[in-house]
Amino acid sequence: MNRKPFTPQAGTSYRNQGGGNFVCIAATEQNDVFIMQNKASGWTFNAHGIGIYDDDSIDWDYSVGGYFESVSGQQATPCPQDVLRNAVQTWGKEAQTDMMIEEMAELTKEIMNERRGRDHNIAEEMTDVWIMLAQMEIMFQNTKEVRRIFWEKIARLDQRLKDRQGRRMNEEKDVRICPVCEREVERSEMDFTRDCHGIPFRLVCLDCYAKLMAKGYDGEYYDESDEQIEDDY
């Protein structure tokens, strides 16, 4: 199906292409970012790059800042983007950049703890890094650039994986050259022809095998006199 950029309307419910119904809560200061909420679970998040399909279903390139909001009318959880923006405005770019460095170092430490078989808090530190990365996007105003580079790197990674898989498949296959037609052929698609005495003669592809063995043997007919074996051999 065709997909095209789409601007959802606040208060309107939409069917997600992957399943579920989502309502647009509000737009944000960024043109292509909208606050969406799962009507069943209350899961609320910032959806980047929403698109719509021919069947009126929607999806988005990626989402950030997800949290559960009560769907029964209880007090709403603060909007993550507002909280993150407030943090940047309160402590400033330099302090939050230092915090980004600190959180990455703490995540590195917890990863090393896990590798060494120690107790770790990887999930917590991953969350802290995620929060700081979201603040980096606010400070550097580079959400679109990050998204573009993200998809470029995903495509590059996908191609590398495909290339690696292709090389592995070729390595696992025993590919040979047929001496008759000179084509590359898997060993499983080849067989030895036989000479007039039934001795294996040469390994050829099955197509060439059928042609060469049509007369019953491959090569020229010969007998013991043709072998010219010396008496004292």
Side-chain angles (χ1 to χ4, degrees), residues 91-133:
W91 288 296
K93 179 178 180 180
E94 184 175 350
Q96 295 310 90
T97 300
D98 290 343
M99 184 61 69
M100 175 83 255
I101 297 171
E102 180 180 331
E103 296 296 354
M104 288 190 296
E106 291 182 1
L107 176 58
T108 300
K109 177 182 176 182
E110 295 306 313
I111 292 173
M112 292 304 298
N113 283 339
E114 191 277 336
R115 290 187 62 180
R116 293 167 178 166
R118 301 172 181 170
D119 293 338
H120 60 82
N121 293 311
I122 289 180
E124 180 176 345
E125 296 306 332
M126 285 178 62
T127 304
D128 289 339
V129 169
W130 187 14
I131 290 172
M132 295 312 304
L133 283 172

Side-chain angles (χ1 to χ4, degrees), residues 12-205:
T12 303
S13 178
Y14 300 93
R15 179 172 58 85
N16 178 252
Q17 220 230 354
N21 292 306
F22 293 78
V23 61
C24 178
I25 302 300
T28 68
E29 294 181 358
Q30 296 171 273
N31 293 333
D32 63 341
V33 182
F34 299 85
I35 302 173
M36 304 293 291
Q37 182 181 94
N38 186 305
K39 294 183 68 175
S41 67
W43 180 250
T44 306
F45 52 89
N46 291 338
H48 291 246
I50 294 179
I52 191 168
Y53 293 85
D54 296 337
D55 63 355
D56 291 331
S57 63
I58 67 167
D59 65 6
W60 39 88
D61 293 337
Y62 67 98
S63 63
V64 297
Y67 63 96
F68 281 105
E69 180 174 309
S70 171
V71 293
S72 59
Q74 298 178 3
Q75 184 176 1
T77 304
C79 174
Q81 279 298 109
D82 292 341
V83 174
L84 296 172
R85 190 174 292 106
N86 189 21
V88 172
Q89 294 171 351
T90 300
W91 288 296
K93 179 178 180 180
E94 184 175 350
Q96 295 310 90
T97 300
D98 290 343
M99 184 61 69
M100 175 83 255
I101 297 171
E102 180 180 331
E103 296 296 354
M104 288 190 296
E106 291 182 1
L107 176 58
T108 300
K109 177 182 176 182
E110 295 306 313
I111 292 173
M112 292 304 298
N113 283 339
E114 191 277 336
R115 290 187 62 180
R116 293 167 178 166
R118 301 172 181 170
D119 293 338
H120 60 82
N121 293 311
I122 289 180
E124 180 176 345
E125 296 306 332
M126 285 178 62
T127 304
D128 289 339
V129 169
W130 187 14
I131 290 172
M132 295 312 304
L133 283 172
Q135 292 184 54
M136 292 292 105
E137 287 190 0
I138 293 172
M139 289 189 289
F140 294 103
Q141 294 292 299
N142 60 357
T143 299
K144 289 185 177 181
E145 184 179 6
V146 169
R147 185 176 69 190
R148 175 183 61 78
I149 297 173
F150 171 84
W151 287 112
E152 287 177 357
K153 288 184 177 291
I154 288 294
R156 190 183 310 163
L157 176 60
D158 181 55
Q159 187 59 52
R160 287 178 60 188
L161 292 169
K162 290 177 180 177
D163 291 344
R164 186 173 187 273
Q165 183 180 15
R167 288 196 299 271
R168 179 178 295 176
M169 291 178 63
N170 288 334
E171 289 172 358
E172 292 174 352
K173 292 179 180 179
D174 185 1
V175 179
R176 313 248 183 132
I177 303 295
C178 175
V180 179
C181 64
E182 298 184 344
R183 292 187 300 114
E184 289 188 353
V185 187
E186 289 187 42
R187 174 62 183 84
S188 61
E189 299 296 323
M190 305 179 77
D191 198 0
F192 281 99
T193 59
R194 308 282 172 169
D195 67 11
C196 61
H197 296 291
I199 300 172
F201 186 65
R202 54 180 166 176
L203 184 65
V204 300
C205 70

